[in-house]
Amino acid sequence: MGLLLLCNGFFMLFAALVSGIYKDGVTLDISLASIVTMLVGVLAMFYTRGHKKEVKKKEGYIIVTFGWLVMSISGVLPYLFSGAIPDVTNAFFETISGYTTTGASILEDIEVLPEGILFWRSLTHWIGGMGIIVLAIAILPLLGIGGMQLFAAEAPGPNADKLHPRITDTAKRLWLIYVGYTAAETLLLKLAGMSFFDAMNHSLATLSTGGFSTKNASLAYWNNQPLIQYIVIFFMFLAGSNFVLSYFAFKGKIQRILKDEEFKFYAGFILVFTVIAAFVIYFKADVAVSTYHPMIFGEVESAFRHALFQVVAVVTTTGFVSSDFTSWTPFLTVFFFGLFFLGGSAGSTAGGIKVMRHLLIVKNGLLEFKRTLHPNALIPVRYNNKTVQEHIVYNIIAFFVLYMLSFIIGALVLGFLGLDFTSAIGGAASSLGNVGPALGTLNPVSNFSELPTMGKWWCGFLMLLGRLELFTVLILFTPYFWKRI
């Protein structure tokens, strides 16, 4: 955790540098936050230097969960020291929303914030996107600490794919792809017409599937510049797909991508959902027409682009907004609410349940019909032409049940705190799925500022729970976890 604080403080220095370049008046404040964070990190490492450097499974879960909390707590300092968000509750909400790549915000006027703070806000997304723990695994071996347990506890999806026998090399390869995609999107957005500052911030938010924007209107600010939105759509799609597949693509193993069941369903879902949404938008909804295309083609392109943008943004849990999808039609409001529970691919930076889990649950459910007719037959679930071990299927079913229970309890608590039905279920689903925009008073053109204080802390807990995929956090609340064996 001391090492994580050192990394966090180091990233704050980047925000201070940006602040200095733009002369926004908060350079010293962010620098002080960085110094305090790194000092605490150094002290933590100093006082634990003699401890046994052995990370087992239990320690892995503890470090992951408390590591995220420690990062989030230290991450509030730039907001508090600069006065950008003087309230502790609001600052913590914005910070944990950033690290968990949820993208829900309490800020009512984003554009008045200093550039250094805006960059730090986007940077919390980027740090959390691939996982602050994965970053640490690449460094921990230098201290003589193994990292496989941490990667297994943090990595998104039911399995942590290994690209290389050494987990540190895996982390480095994933981060190299992550950094490369971020740089590529920044360049393309700049060439498409964004300012360099906006391009940089939106790239950090896109690849992390976060959703923080530098504009109050989010990506709707560029509704008359379709190229910008198509670039963001493309990189949201990449960020929501398994990063291991990107590695295979760069190695020239295209067939492995085309044969991957999850990727085929992920792309297929987006295509089908986009067609449905575009059809309803074109015939039923009132959406601004792009000024770049005349007459009928402009309406068709605009409907398609808004549908594609919002489907990809919600499925990948990025949460960018090109239009208020809750105002289109009641059908599309329910439609997008359903997409809150889909999620991107396992091994991506997206939140949600994940396409792989849905796929295996459906496959297992369909096989139950065969098992009913042939009770003595052994009929395994198969994925990518390989038999899925029974314990993995049980784990996925348990995850789904726990996820839905967490959603119901989350909505009940928000309802108890005074939110109406639509806002309560929308806020719980959005927070748990790390989506960002929700329904009701928490809709895409509003924010979470009106939540009561306890509601903000509760949503923060749901964000952490969803980002760390339930078990990592919930296992700490079980009595047998703390028993000595």
Side-chain angles (χ1 to χ4, degrees):
M1 290 184 199
L3 180 64
L4 291 175
L5 287 173
L6 277 178
C7 292
N8 214 26
F10 177 73
F11 279 116
M12 286 179 195
L13 288 178
F14 279 100
L17 178 63
V18 170
S19 174
I21 291 171
Y22 285 92
K23 298 179 181 178
D24 58 9
V26 295
T27 308
L28 289 177
D29 300 317
I30 301 175
S31 299
L32 179 60
S34 171
I35 292 168
V36 170
T37 301
M38 288 195 285
L39 181 61
V40 174
V42 168
L43 289 174
M45 294 181 72
F46 177 78
Y47 281 109
T48 57
R49 67 191 185 281
H51 287 221
K52 192 177 180 182
K53 295 177 181 178
E54 183 181 1
V55 181
K56 296 181 180 178
K57 209 159 194 177
K58 281 190 175 183
E59 287 88 346
Y61 287 116
I62 293 171
I63 292 172
V64 168
T65 302
F66 284 93
W68 279 77
L69 285 173
V70 164
M71 292 286 279
S72 296
I73 291 168
S74 64
V76 306
L77 296 182
Y79 295 125
L80 295 177
F81 287 4
S82 67
I85 308 178
D87 180 75
V88 173
T89 296
N90 286 338
F92 183 79
F93 181 93
E94 198 77 12
T95 306
I96 200 164
S97 179
Y99 282 117
T100 58
T101 72
T102 304
S105 179
I106 49 80
L107 295 169
E108 298 188 52
D109 190 355
I110 298 164
E111 295 173 29
V112 300
L113 292 178
E115 283 82 358
I117 293 298
L118 285 175
F119 183 73
W120 171 244
R121 186 169 171 261
S122 301
L123 203 54
T124 57
H125 267 344
W126 197 78
I127 298 167
M130 182 59 74
I132 50 175
I133 307 300
V134 177
L135 174 65
I137 315 179
I139 304 170
L140 283 175
L142 300 176
L143 307 178
I145 303 174
M148 186 59 219
Q149 292 83 359
L150 295 179
F151 187 74
E154 195 278 340
N159 283 312
D161 287 295
K162 291 173 92 175
L163 313 183
H164 194 276
R166 292 184 61 198
I167 194 63
T168 51
D169 290 324
T170 297
K172 290 170 186 175
R173 281 165 170 75
L174 292 176
W175 269 94
L176 187 62
I177 294 170
Y178 192 55
V179 171
Y181 278 161
T182 306
E185 187 187 359
T186 301
L187 177 62
L188 290 174
L189 288 177
K190 178 67 175 70
L191 293 175
M194 268 193 185
S195 70
F196 178 73
F197 182 76
D198 287 335
M200 181 170 54
N201 279 273
H202 285 89
S203 297
L204 294 174
T206 302
L207 268 302
S208 62
T209 65
F212 280 157
S213 176
T214 55
K215 303 296 182 185
N216 293 325
S218 188
L219 265 291
Y221 183 87
W222 290 277
N223 271 352
N224 287 333
Q225 294 174 266
L227 180 59
I228 286 177
Q229 294 187 341
Y230 283 122
I231 291 170
V232 172
I233 289 169
F234 175 71
F235 281 97
M236 283 195 294
F237 179 83
L238 286 180
S241 62
N242 193 330
F243 271 69
V244 175
L245 297 182
S246 290
Y247 175 80
F248 290 143
F250 289 122
K251 296 286 285 186
K253 300 177 180 178
I254 305 300
Q255 285 300 317
R256 294 197 64 168
I257 301 171
L258 299 178
K259 290 179 180 178
D260 186 79
E261 282 190 61
E262 183 183 38
F263 181 77
K264 288 189 286 188
F265 275 92
Y266 168 67
F269 283 151
I270 288 176
L271 178 61
V272 172
F273 295 150
T274 298
V275 171
I276 294 171
F279 182 85
V280 177
I281 290 170
Y282 182 75
F283 287 103
K284 297 287 186 181
D286 180 23
V287 179
V289 178
S290 168
T291 57
Y292 276 77
H293 303 289
M295 300 174 63
I296 281 296
F297 180 71
E299 295 179 7
V300 172
E301 187 278 332
S302 181
F304 171 78
R305 174 160 45 90
H306 281 293
L308 179 62
F309 189 96
Q310 288 307 153
V311 165
V312 175
V314 173
V315 168
T316 62
T317 71
T318 307
F320 280 140
V321 176
S322 69
S323 184
D324 180 8
F325 56 79
T326 64
S327 68
W328 286 343
T329 65
F331 169 79
L332 286 180
T333 300
V334 178
F335 177 82
F336 279 104
F337 176 68
L339 295 187
F340 284 6
F341 295 90
L342 182 58
S345 303
S348 72
T349 58
I353 294 175
K354 303 291 192 305
V355 173
M356 180 190 284
R357 287 195 179 97
H358 286 292
L359 185 58
L360 292 176
I361 288 171
V362 170
K363 280 191 172 191
N364 185 65
L366 293 175
L367 287 178
E368 282 300 318
F369 291 113
K370 286 187 178 180
R371 292 171 185 146
T372 302
L373 294 173
H374 307 284
N376 296 323
L378 294 175
I379 309 174
V381 177
R382 299 184 70 81
Y383 175 76
N384 283 340
N385 295 319
K386 295 179 181 177
T387 298
V388 179
Q389 294 178 9
E390 207 171 48
H391 74 89
I392 294 177
V393 177
Y394 291 151
N395 178 280
I396 289 171
I397 293 171
F399 177 91
F400 186 80
V401 172
L402 282 174
Y403 193 95
M404 298 312 294
L405 281 174
S406 299
F407 159 66
I408 293 168
I409 294 170
L412 283 172
V413 171
L414 290 178
F416 178 77
L417 293 173
L419 273 70
D420 62 87
F421 174 75
T422 306
S423 302
I425 62 170
S430 176
S431 298
L432 190 62
N434 306 131
V435 178
L439 308 178
T441 57
L442 310 176
N443 65 69
V445 294
S446 185
N447 58 37
F448 284 62
S449 61
E450 296 303 315
L451 275 178
T453 299
M454 283 305 300
K456 290 170 184 172
W457 287 102
W458 178 246
C459 282
F461 171 72
L462 292 178
M463 291 174 198
L464 183 67
L465 188 63
R467 180 61 182 90
L468 298 184
E469 305 223 325
L470 306 187
F471 291 117
T472 308
V473 177
L474 294 179
I475 198 171
L476 301 183
F477 293 93
T478 58
Y480 45 83
F481 178 84
W482 301 98
K483 289 182 179 177
R484 287 185 177 273
I485 299 175

